[in-house]
């Protein structure tokens, strides 16, 4: 067992076993907080009050562990170290931890960070404050103090939890909704006057940043020493990544090393009104009615912005028995060429961490077959039908457009991002000249709304997009697959016959968001009457992803790879979008669109 000169244990990496994982019943809303109990070996070190662990399920779909403060730690009857955590269900990482069951394995890195310093004056009480899930570490600290040696203030939005092990001289609970204790937030019960009358030797707290900033202020006015436990996003937990720094009067200090417990007087709490020059959105009142999810693209109305992406959704009918495809905003057909194609030989799919590589090669039945067979069935569905037109030469694009112009398909998506088409040895969408030529040629053959699908591989992507708009595009869809290489290490050969293949899935999303943002930024330099909508593609898996793209400027979005992983992903995205907009007070997609554009 290794400890520093102050007796604080150094972190170690160990595998624990889940003893229990259960819902904390009194937490509001229901099922929002879980109690996770983990067993470590008899030789494991017990954490000090205020320390935390990086928790990571052995069977995990997230990259990083999550920093979780210790609520309680003790030796059980078998001599094993039993550590209890209270976990607020917030995102994918905590959702995974809250889904653990008895007997599951979990990796722990810890105990990490420093501890709450013990009171210097044993003859005086201390004040302990916990806000929301921040109750856990300070309640753990309180359990190490003599009974009745502290007053405890707990503040919640609604309900209360984590207080059953306290032996406080006085326990005060505040709730924003008045469901328990004093009606109001912490200032309703704890003020400068209360601190002075309490004659406390020190204050210890953990909770939301606004609460900690308030405590710092009133402690300074009352002349009470305060120790504040902070939180920050972390990667390593041991001080090497420098991703969790906290602004202080002593510079940027690491939350995982110099913290998480800091001398409150050195902390800098500055209100964040803007990020990267973008003002924080003002709070809106939740909607009483359903928001309007409909969008208009090239004068065509979509009931919502979620579209099944070309190449991943067939012609829509294939998923009719899997979920209600009529709830989608649109369906972009499999990539269509003038003549039927058999596609590429060899391996066509290769999964990697965070995504999927593919080398299909535009296998499709041909446009004539599509018009006679697949299109009539697509048109029976409620979503807007989009014909994805591809080709290998200018002539095949033009002939395909002529055929589609004679049909009832409402929208054509011109795919000039396939790496197999010929234009000086590169794809049509790689240069402004080639892109402009093919868009003009197709535009001359059809009056239908024309969306041009571009490749992210172009070194002049935004210029290509603007050239397409000048040539007659009514919209831009971006990004078609990125390019990558996979290696079969056992055989020592490439996985794909064509060496390079398309890359999609969640791993590409941040890059795609950047490209969409930059493209919309470029389009916004045009006169208003020349601007066209952008449809986002690239790693969209959840409704949160969809909101990101919309706030970056996208008018709609296409979901591809995630449909393979979760066939109901698009329905979940639609439902999530609606719930988010209602909660945040956005009446329409347009009210969210481009919020982070300067």
């Amino acid at each position: 067992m290794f400890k520093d000169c102050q007796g604080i244990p150094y972190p170690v990496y160990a595998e624990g076993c889940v003893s229990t994982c259960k819902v904390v019943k009194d937490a509001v809303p229901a099922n929002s907080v879980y109690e996770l109990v983990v067993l470590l070996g008899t030789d494991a070190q017990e954490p000090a009050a205020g320390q935390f662990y990086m928790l990571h399920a052995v069977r995990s779909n997230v990259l990083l562990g999550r920093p979780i403060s210790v609520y309680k730690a003790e030796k059980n009857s078998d001599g094993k170290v039993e550590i209890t955590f209270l976990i607020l269900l917030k995102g994918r990482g905590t959702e995974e931890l809250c889904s653990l069951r008895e007997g599951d394995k979990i990796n722990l890195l810890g105990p990490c960070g420093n501890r709450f310093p013990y009171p210097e004056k044993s003859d005086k009480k201390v004040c302990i404050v916990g806000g929301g899930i921040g109750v856990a570490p300070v309640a753990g600290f309180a359990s190490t103090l003599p009974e009745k040696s502290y007053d405890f203030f707990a503040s919640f939005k609604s309900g209360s939890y984590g207080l059953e092990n306290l032996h406080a001289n006085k326990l005060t609970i505040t709730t924003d909704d008045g469901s328990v204790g004093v009606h109001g937030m912490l200032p309703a019960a704890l003020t400068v006057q209360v601190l002075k009358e309490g004659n406390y030797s020190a204050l210890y707290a953990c909770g939301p940043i606004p609460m900690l900033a308030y405590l710092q202020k009133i402690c300074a006015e009352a002349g009470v020493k305060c120790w504040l436990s902070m939180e920050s996003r972390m990667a390593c937990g041991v001080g090497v990544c420098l991703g969790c720094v906290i602004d202080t009067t002593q510079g940027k200090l690491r939350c995982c090393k110099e913290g998480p417990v800091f001398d409150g007087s050195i902390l800098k709490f500055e209100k964040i009104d803007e990020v990267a020059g973008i003002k924080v959105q003002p709070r809106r009142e939740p909607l009483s009615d359903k928001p309007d999810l409909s969008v208009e693209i090239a004068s065509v109305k979509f009931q919502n912005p979620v579209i099944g992406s070309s190449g991943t959704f067939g012609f829509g009918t294939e998923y009719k028995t899997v979920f209600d495809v009529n709830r989608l905003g649109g369906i972009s057909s499999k990539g269509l060429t003038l003549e039927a194609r058999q596609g590429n030989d060899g391996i066509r799919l290769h999964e990697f961490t965070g995504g999927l590589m593919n080398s299909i090669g535009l296998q499709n039945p041909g446009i004539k077959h599509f018009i006679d067979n697949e299109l009539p069935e697509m048109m029976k569905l409620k979503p807007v039908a989009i014909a994805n037109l591809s080709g290998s030469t200018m002539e095949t694009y033009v002939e395909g457009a002529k055929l589609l112009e004679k049909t009832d398909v409402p929208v054509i998506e011109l795919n000039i991002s396939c790496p197999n088409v010929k234009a000086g040895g590169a794809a049509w969408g790689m240069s402004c000249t080639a892109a402009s030529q093919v868009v003009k040629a197709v535009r001359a053959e059809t009056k239908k709304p024309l969306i041009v699908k571009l490749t992210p591989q172009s070194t002049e992507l935004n210029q290509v997009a603007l050239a397409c708009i000048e040539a007659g595009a009514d919209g831009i869809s971006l990004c078609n697959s990125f390019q990558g290489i996979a290696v079969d290490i056992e055989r020592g050969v490439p996985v794909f016959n064509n060496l390079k293949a398309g890359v999609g899935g969640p791993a590409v999303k941040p890059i795609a968001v950047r490209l969409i943002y930059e493209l919309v930024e470029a389009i916004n330099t045009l006169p208003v009457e020349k601007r066209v909508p952008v449809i986002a593609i690239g790693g969209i898996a959840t409704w949160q992803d969809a909101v990101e793209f919309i706030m970056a400027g996208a008018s709609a979005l296409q979901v591809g790879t995630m449909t393979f992983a979760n066939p109901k992903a698009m329905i979940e995205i639609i439902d999530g979008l609606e719930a988010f907009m209602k909660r945040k007070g956005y009446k329409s997609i347009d009210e969210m669109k481009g919020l982070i554009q300067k």
Side-chain angles (χ1 to χ4, degrees), residues 340-346 348 359-364 420 498:
R341 289 176 60 112
Q342 290 299 305
N344 293 334
D345 294 326
R348 291 186 171 192
S359 181
I360 308 301
L362 284 176
Q363 180 173 336
N364 74 96
N420 297 322
N498 285 351

Side-chain angles (χ1 to χ4, degrees), residues 347 350 485-496:
I347 291 174
H350 176 74
I485 295 175
V487 179
D488 182 336
I489 62 173
E490 295 297 331
R491 295 192 298 156
V493 296
V495 168
F496 297 104

Side-chain angles (χ1 to χ4, degrees), residues 19-34:
S19 174
T20 60
C21 185
K22 61 183 180 181
V23 173
V24 175
K25 293 183 180 179
D26 294 330
V28 179
N31 304 320
S32 61
V33 178
Y34 285 72

Side-chain angles (χ1 to χ4, degrees), residues 113-155:
N114 61 7
R115 60 161 300 151
F116 287 110
Y118 281 118
E120 295 179 358
K121 300 177 180 179
S122 59
D123 61 332
K124 297 182 76 173
K125 294 197 307 293
V126 296
C127 180
I128 301 178
V129 185
I133 199 64
V135 158
V138 288
F141 171 59
S143 68
T144 69
L145 301 178
E147 293 185 13
K148 309 296 184 181
S149 67
Y150 58 90
D151 290 341
F152 199 104
F153 291 81
S155 182

Side-chain angles (χ1 to χ4, degrees), residues 16-283:
C17 180
V18 174
S19 174
T20 60
C21 185
K22 61 183 180 181
V23 173
V24 175
K25 293 183 180 179
D26 294 330
V28 179
N31 304 320
S32 61
V33 178
Y34 285 72
E35 181 183 271
L36 174 67
V37 182
V38 178
L39 293 177
L40 294 175
T42 56
D43 60 341
Q45 51 193 332
E46 292 185 49
Q51 289 191 292
F52 66 94
Y53 284 81
M54 300 295 291
L55 301 185
H56 201 182
V58 171
R59 296 180 180 178
S60 176
N61 289 315
V62 297
L63 178 64
L64 302 175
R66 296 300 191 264
I68 307 293
S69 296
V70 175
Y71 173 52
K72 186 169 59 173
E74 59 189 359
K75 291 267 190 179
N76 67 10
S77 58
D78 296 327
K80 293 183 177 180
V81 175
E82 184 176 277
I83 305 176
T84 303
F85 304 92
L86 294 185
I87 302 177
L88 176 65
L89 185 58
K90 292 176 66 176
R92 290 192 305 131
T94 52
E95 181 180 19
E96 195 171 84
L97 294 175
C98 293
S99 299
L100 294 172
R101 295 292 179 263
E102 181 181 352
D104 285 347
K105 300 299 181 183
I106 182 171
N107 292 320
L108 298 90
L109 176 64
C112 300
N114 61 7
R115 60 161 300 151
F116 287 110
Y118 281 118
E120 295 179 358
K121 300 177 180 179
S122 59
D123 61 332
K124 297 182 76 173
K125 294 197 307 293
V126 296
C127 180
I128 301 178
V129 185
I133 199 64
V135 158
V138 288
F141 171 59
S143 68
T144 69
L145 301 178
E147 293 185 13
K148 309 296 184 181
S149 67
Y150 58 90
D151 290 341
F152 199 104
F153 291 81
S155 182
F156 302 92
K157 287 185 177 180
S158 183
S160 67
Y161 58 87
L163 309 176
E164 55 270 16
N165 298 320
L166 298 179
H167 298 284
N169 175 67
K170 180 182 178 182
L171 172 62
T172 303
I173 301 173
T174 74
T175 50
D176 194 23
D177 64 358
S179 57
V180 181
V182 178
H183 189 176
M185 300 301 285
L186 184 65
L190 185 58
T191 63
V192 173
Q193 187 64 29
V194 171
L195 284 179
K196 290 181 177 179
E197 292 174 354
N199 194 29
Y200 300 114
S201 65
L203 179 145
Y204 303 83
C206 183
I209 293 298
M211 184 193 88
L212 298 182
Y214 169 74
L215 290 173
Q216 181 196 55
K217 179 176 179 293
I218 64 172
C219 281
E221 293 180 24
V224 176
K225 180 74 174 179
C226 67
W227 298 95
L228 306 180
S229 180
M230 302 289 286
E231 68 173 7
S232 182
R233 297 185 183 187
M234 297 182 186
C236 70
V238 296
V240 299
C241 76
L242 302 176
C244 65
V245 295
I246 300 291
D247 284 326
T248 76
T249 57
Q250 299 174 7
K252 293 184 182 294
L253 300 181
R254 297 165 295 181
C255 191
C256 70
K257 200 68 175 177
E258 288 81 33
V261 181
F262 293 91
D263 178 340
S265 65
I266 72 169
L267 295 174
K268 289 183 177 181
F269 293 110
E270 297 179 358
K271 186 178 180 181
I272 300 175
D273 294 318
E274 62 177 47
V275 178
I278 308 299
K279 290 189 178 298
V280 174
Q281 287 296 302
R283 185 174 179 179

